[in-house]
Structures are given as C-alpha cells and as structure tokens.
Amino acid sequence: MILGILAALVLATSTPATQDADCLNCHADQELKSESGRNVHVAAEALKTGAHGNLHCQSCHTTIKDYPHPARPAKPQCTSCHAQTAGNVRGSAHAAQGPGSCAGCHGAGHDVKPARQVGLGQCESCHAREVGQYRASMHGVGRRTGVVDSPTCKSCHGSVHAVLLHTDPKSPVARENLPATCGACHANPDFVARHDIPFARPVEAYKLSVHGRAMARGNTSAPSCSDCHTAHSIYPGTDARSSLNHTKVPGTCGACHSEIGRVYAQSVHGVAARHGVPGSPVCTDCHGEHSILAPSEANSLVNPARVSTVTCGRCHSDERLAQRYNLPRDKVAAYQDSYHGLAKRSGSTVVANCASCHGVHNILPSSDPRSTIHASNLGRTCGTCHPGAGERFSIGQVHVTNTRGVHPVVSWVRFAYVLLLIPGTIGFMLLYVMLDFLAKLLRGGPHFSSGEKLVRMNLHFRIEHWLVMLSFPILIITGFALKFPESWWAAPMLQWENHFPFRGTIHRIAAAILTFSTVYHLVHLAVSRRDRIMLKQMMPTLKDATDMAGMIRYNLGLGGERPRFGMFSFAEKAEYLAFMWGTVVMLGSGLVLWFNNWALQALPKWVSDAATAIHFYEAVLASLAIAIWHMYMVIFDPEVYPMDKAWLTGNASADHLRHSRDRRYLRSLRAPKKREKGKE
C-alpha cells in the first residue's frame, strides 16, 4: 500500500515526458497483450511521427489516474479534441454509409495519420471500384505523373469529414452543383491555359445551354457534367474508353434521348458511326458539345436559318470528305443557288432547309424506300409545304446546278441568254451608244435654242410611263436582292425577313403595278383610235434597217446624210417592242414562280426551273438595256441632255424633232386634231 501511494505521488509530480516513458516501460513490449488477448504494443517512433506526435499519453488517456492502471481502462474519445470534426462526420455520408469511425480513414490506435496522409488508400478501403476508376482516369494519371493540381477525391467531394451523399442538395457533387465543382478548374483561365485544355469556357457554355438553363430552373433530372463525362472514369475524347469518344457519343446522348438515339442508329449517319467511320457526324457534330441550344434559338447550330450552311454544309461542302467517301460535291452549292437557299440567305426561317426534306435524325439514302427523298416519297415530302406537289408529274431533279441535273429545256434557256441574247444585245447597244456619243461630241452636234415645244406624249401615255418608272426599278432592286442577299444594298430590305417577307411582298406589289400599267396601255390603245396609230407606227419596216445602217455609216464619217425618222426611230421601235415582249416573258415566268404550289401540282418541275432561269436572265437583260439604251436616248444623248422631259410635261423640243424627224411627221403634229364624240 505504501509503495502504491509512493508510485501515485511520483506519477502526480512527474513531467508528461516522464509519464510517457513510464507508459512505454510496459507498452514498448511488442508481446504485451491485454487480458482479452489483444496486442497493446505502442510503436514509439510511429507515435512521434503521426498526427498525435505532439501529444502525450494522458492527453488522450485522461481516465488513467492510477499507476499501474486497471486492466480495462476506458478508450480515448476522438471527440475530446475533435468535437467540431466529429460533428461534421455525424452529418456526412460517412456517418450513414461509411466506415463509421475515425479509425476507418485515419488508422487505428497510435497509428493515426495526419490529414495530408489520408489519401486514396483510405478511400479505397470502402470505395474500391470508384478509386480504381479514378486511378485509370485522366485525373488519376495526371496525379500519379506529378501534375500537382490534378483533382483528388477531396477536390470534388469536399472535406473528408463533411462528405455528403450526391443526393444531398448541399453536396459539391449533387447534380445541380457539379458545374460549379467542375468549374473550379475548368472555368479557371489560368488552369485551362496551364494544361492546354482545348475547350474554351465549357462551364459558361453549359450554363447558357438548354441543359444548364433547365438545371437552373430546378429540373435536377436535366443532364449535368457527370451524365456525359461520367463521375470517375473521365478520359480524353480520343480514348476509346471515354464516354465522349466519337463512337460512343450516340450512346451517351441516347441514355436520355432514347427514341432519338434509336432513330439515329438506323440512319446513314448512325450506321457509318457504328462502323467507325471517323468523318460520320454524331450528336455533338450537329448540336455542339456544351453550348447545346434549342432549334428555335437564333444561335443554335440546328436553327432553321443555320442548319443548311453551318451544320450540314460544314461536311457536305468539304471537298476532302466528298472525295474520301465519294459524296456529290455540288449539293450545298445547288441548294444555296436555289430559291430555298437564296431565301434562307436572305434571312427567311420558314423556307425549306436540308432537314425539311432529308429529315433530322432519320436521314437515309435516297435509294432506301423509308427515305423522305425516295422517289415514291418525294411528293409527300414536297407536299408538306406545297400541297399537291407531284400529283400529276413526278418531282424531277432537286439539286440542280449549271452542270448537273439540268433539263434540256432549262439548259437551252441558259445557253440562249448567256451566250447569245445578253452578250449580243448588250454588246450591240454599247457599241452603238459609244459610237453615237463620240460622233456627236466630235461633230459638235446641233444647238437647239428656240425653246419651241411640240406635244409628244398625251396624259394617258405619261401615266403609263409613270407607272413603269415606279414599278420597274423596284422590281429590279427587290429581285436582285433575292439573288444577291449578302450585298450591302440588299441589307435594308432583308432585315425583316425573319418576321415578315418584306422583299417578296414589295416585289409582288411592284409586279402588280407593272401589270396594271400594261393593261392600262392596251385598253387605252383599244379605246382611243387617234392614239392607236402608234401601234402601226411601231411596227418594224425595211426602212428601219436602212436607217440603222445609215446612222452607223454617218457616225463613222463614211459619207451620206443623217437619216430622218418618222414618228419613231428604229431605236425607239426596238426598245418598245423589246419592253413589251420582256414584260410578257417576265409576267409569265413570274406567275409560275408566284403560284408555285399550282405549278408543282399541274406542271413538270422543269417548267419551274425554266421559269426561274428565264425570270433571272430576262431581268438582267432588261435592266442592262434600260440602263444603256433608254437612259442614253432620254438623258445622255448630247442632243437631249440633260433630259428629254416629254415623260413629265408631254412636250418635246421642236428643234430636236425638226432635226431628227421627217416633214410628214412634223406636219401631223401641227395639224388640227379632229375629235370624234364618244371616241376620245
């Protein structure tokens, strides 16, 4: 008893270091066991280097007051020092499903490891599958090869003692929180630059996408980072194991979009992708990766205004892909030059694009009876926009260019205009006008100074001319705006095309005005016998040929007198007859294009193709003829410069008429006019 009292006194008065030495007198024995047979050996060196190396035995074993202590002393409690940490653990995933004790992660007894030494090994003891996936992933490989800022378990799941289940809204790996968790690295410009990550601002793009916005609205079933990239098995897209490898993208997207995935798998693209064709488009090629937008959004890659050029055109206009896979190279170009393509380039979102005819995910070869562009299905496909199309005549070639798919009639129309009519007519006009202009400049020309005026155009003729002056320029501008939609001068009238067909509406109104002016002119001539004489005077005669030859000879200085004309010169006759003929041609072809549903229902498709060619080439011919021939005669001709004002006042210079017309016509202008009651 005395010895025990002395030992207690010694223990009470000894220092902590002395007490530790006294404890180790027994516990340093490697064979020391408790009464239950459990080894109670303490490795002194391990204790000193462990997390508790700065503590002493009684710091934890506070219940031991006697020496030697009782056979079954109370176990030390972690909470005595780590109360806050223990509280975190009790609220974490580990408390419910994890190891359930501190030793599970930190080690048991005196082998407790500091937090910095609690690594994958401790997680692996419970999460072997996940850790195995992580070790093989690009993150794990990066960590293993010395990339110090490669993420670890803690980087994504948070503090070891506060790990929450992924179903907990507060967890860093909850679906709605993953963009921020992944963004800690992938939205950091320095991190991205340091590791040469090719994707720019993926997290920002995701948040603006349909997936990210759905998640932000509280739809936690919307795809998040791990749905596409997986949670632990993250590999580069070039790795065959990656869920985002080219061949696996359809399956990854199909996990949510199962029906679309099934349809795509049967398409020409899906079959090619399944066979490992590297150039075959998968979901991300058309929809994008992170910035996936709804088709109705203007910036979407599959928006109707962009799908043909930005998405489908990216591959189908690529010469290398066309050569590699034996694809036709002119389909995109043919579409771009067609009415559909021109209207699309003008900004229309309702006109047909690639997907309108070929389908979206169900794209099949035209030889497949299931294809929307199979010969037996074309009428139904075109009929979606053009009711009745192909009922009487089968739909012909659709992607028509100058060299392929052209009907012989269309080919001859192009040949006639491009190689004969336009260069021949405009070439002659240019040569004649330049010769006449230079001859009059060199000769000095007559000087008209009397100021006398004679009536040249009555009110009816002037009204008809005013209507043409109003409608013709509008027709030219609005028509060529469709053909050249990217031109700066076309932009003002095309800015509303996405909401209202402004250009086409104005074009048709102008066409109606031109038609009215023509009808007005014909009715006027039919009613007025006095004015109807103009038709007879407009008919070409042999004298017109000799007058033209005489003017050329006279302007070249080859002798002879200047020809004198009757009511109309050969130039005026040619212009009037060409204008009337051109008006009929433009109205006829324009009506076929205007009422395209009827045309596709009642006429072969080549008629529409021919009408398109005629309408364009005739517009080119007419606009050049007016600009060269008519503008010269009424403005730039030195004899009438600065302008023949007959279109405005109805009067012409008497001096000019005396210089260019014969006496018979001049006498008719001065003769008294007999009015017939009820006729005029």
Side-chain angles (χ1 to χ4, degrees), residues 181-317:
T181 300
C182 299
C185 293
H186 290 276
N188 183 335
D190 294 334
F191 180 90
V192 171
R194 190 162 58 249
H195 297 289
D196 296 325
I197 296 175
F199 285 96
R201 298 181 294 278
V203 178
E204 179 184 338
Y206 168 81
K207 289 180 178 179
L208 295 174
S209 72
V210 290
H211 295 156
R213 281 177 286 165
M215 185 69 74
R217 290 194 300 268
N219 181 7
T220 55
S221 62
S224 193
C225 308
S226 60
D227 289 294
C228 300
H229 294 272
T230 74
H232 301 98
S233 302
I234 300 174
Y235 301 97
T238 53
D239 193 313
R241 296 170 295 176
S242 171
S243 58
L244 295 179
N245 180 265
H246 183 266
T247 58
K248 293 187 177 178
V249 166
T252 299
C253 297
C256 294
H257 305 283
S258 55
E259 180 58 25
I260 291 175
R262 184 190 65 78
V263 173
Y264 167 83
Q266 299 177 26
S267 73
V268 64
H269 294 155
V271 171
R274 193 165 61 251
H275 285 82
V277 178
S280 57
V282 295
C283 312
T284 52
D285 290 300
C286 299
H287 295 274
E289 293 90 6
H290 300 99
S291 54
I292 299 173
L293 301 174
S296 58
E297 296 180 73
N299 291 329
S300 172
L301 294 173
V302 291
N303 179 270
R306 307 183 73 202
V307 67
S308 296
T309 53
V310 177
T311 303
C312 299
R314 183 171 66 89
C315 293
H316 287 278
S317 60

Side-chain angles (χ1 to χ4, degrees), residues 116-396:
R116 65 179 181 274
Q117 295 181 15
V118 177
L120 295 178
Q122 279 63 42
C123 298
E124 192 171 19
S125 61
C126 294
H127 306 288
R129 181 173 64 87
E130 288 81 1
V131 171
Q133 292 171 345
Y134 167 83
R135 289 185 190 278
S137 74
M138 60 190 303
H139 291 158
V141 170
R143 192 75 181 183
R144 192 165 62 250
T145 54
V147 181
V148 295
D149 49 359
S150 286
T152 63
C153 305
K154 181 180 178 181
S155 304
C156 300
H157 292 275
S159 171
V160 175
H161 301 104
V163 174
L164 298 173
L165 293 172
H166 72 276
T167 54
D168 191 317
K170 294 179 291 185
S171 171
V173 292
R175 298 174 61 80
E176 59 268 36
N177 297 331
L178 273 176
T181 300
C182 299
C185 293
H186 290 276
N188 183 335
D190 294 334
F191 180 90
V192 171
R194 190 162 58 249
H195 297 289
D196 296 325
I197 296 175
F199 285 96
R201 298 181 294 278
V203 178
E204 179 184 338
Y206 168 81
K207 289 180 178 179
L208 295 174
S209 72
V210 290
H211 295 156
R213 281 177 286 165
M215 185 69 74
R217 290 194 300 268
N219 181 7
T220 55
S221 62
S224 193
C225 308
S226 60
D227 289 294
C228 300
H229 294 272
T230 74
H232 301 98
S233 302
I234 300 174
Y235 301 97
T238 53
D239 193 313
R241 296 170 295 176
S242 171
S243 58
L244 295 179
N245 180 265
H246 183 266
T247 58
K248 293 187 177 178
V249 166
T252 299
C253 297
C256 294
H257 305 283
S258 55
E259 180 58 25
I260 291 175
R262 184 190 65 78
V263 173
Y264 167 83
Q266 299 177 26
S267 73
V268 64
H269 294 155
V271 171
R274 193 165 61 251
H275 285 82
V277 178
S280 57
V282 295
C283 312
T284 52
D285 290 300
C286 299
H287 295 274
E289 293 90 6
H290 300 99
S291 54
I292 299 173
L293 301 174
S296 58
E297 296 180 73
N299 291 329
S300 172
L301 294 173
V302 291
N303 179 270
R306 307 183 73 202
V307 67
S308 296
T309 53
V310 177
T311 303
C312 299
R314 183 171 66 89
C315 293
H316 287 278
S317 60
D318 188 318
E319 292 186 13
R320 292 166 298 180
L321 287 178
Q323 184 176 11
R324 184 185 305 165
Y325 301 118
N326 195 30
L327 300 174
R329 303 182 184 185
D330 56 355
K331 299 302 183 185
V332 175
Y335 170 81
Q336 291 284 70
D337 254 359
S338 70
Y339 170 76
H340 293 154
L342 291 171
K344 187 67 66 181
R345 288 161 56 189
S346 299
S348 173
T349 56
V350 297
V351 73
N353 55 56
C354 300
S356 305
C357 302
H358 293 271
V360 180
H361 302 101
N362 58 326
I363 300 172
L364 296 166
S366 58
S367 57
D368 192 317
R370 299 170 298 169
S371 172
T372 54
I373 57 170
H374 186 267
S376 61
N377 298 327
L378 267 180
R380 189 182 310 112
T381 299
C382 297
T384 304
C385 298
H386 305 285
E391 287 185 356
R392 294 187 60 185
F393 296 93
S394 61
I395 303 295

Side-chain angles (χ1 to χ4, degrees), residues 3 35 59 108 186 294 323 331 336 341 424 434 503 518 602 665 679:
L3 291 174
E35 289 184 354
S59 299
H186 290 276
Q323 184 176 11
K331 299 302 183 185
Q336 291 284 70
M434 288 192 302
R503 182 212 59 82
T518 305
Y665 174 61
K679 298 280 185 176

Side-chain angles (χ1 to χ4, degrees), residues 419-470:
L419 297 180
L420 299 176
L421 287 175
I422 294 177
T425 304
I426 302 305
F428 170 77
M429 288 180 176
L430 281 171
L431 290 173
Y432 181 86
V433 164
M434 288 192 302
L435 177 62
D436 190 72
F437 181 75
L438 292 174
K440 288 175 179 176
L441 282 183
L442 295 174
R443 194 179 294 116
H447 299 282
F448 307 133
S449 57
S450 70
E452 182 185 355
K453 301 292 182 181
L454 294 174
V455 176
R456 177 73 169 165
M457 297 176 68
N458 63 30
L459 180 60
H460 290 294
F461 285 124
R462 296 203 303 276
I463 290 175
E464 295 155 12
H465 193 272
W466 293 339
L467 291 174
V468 173
M469 287 180 65
L470 172 65

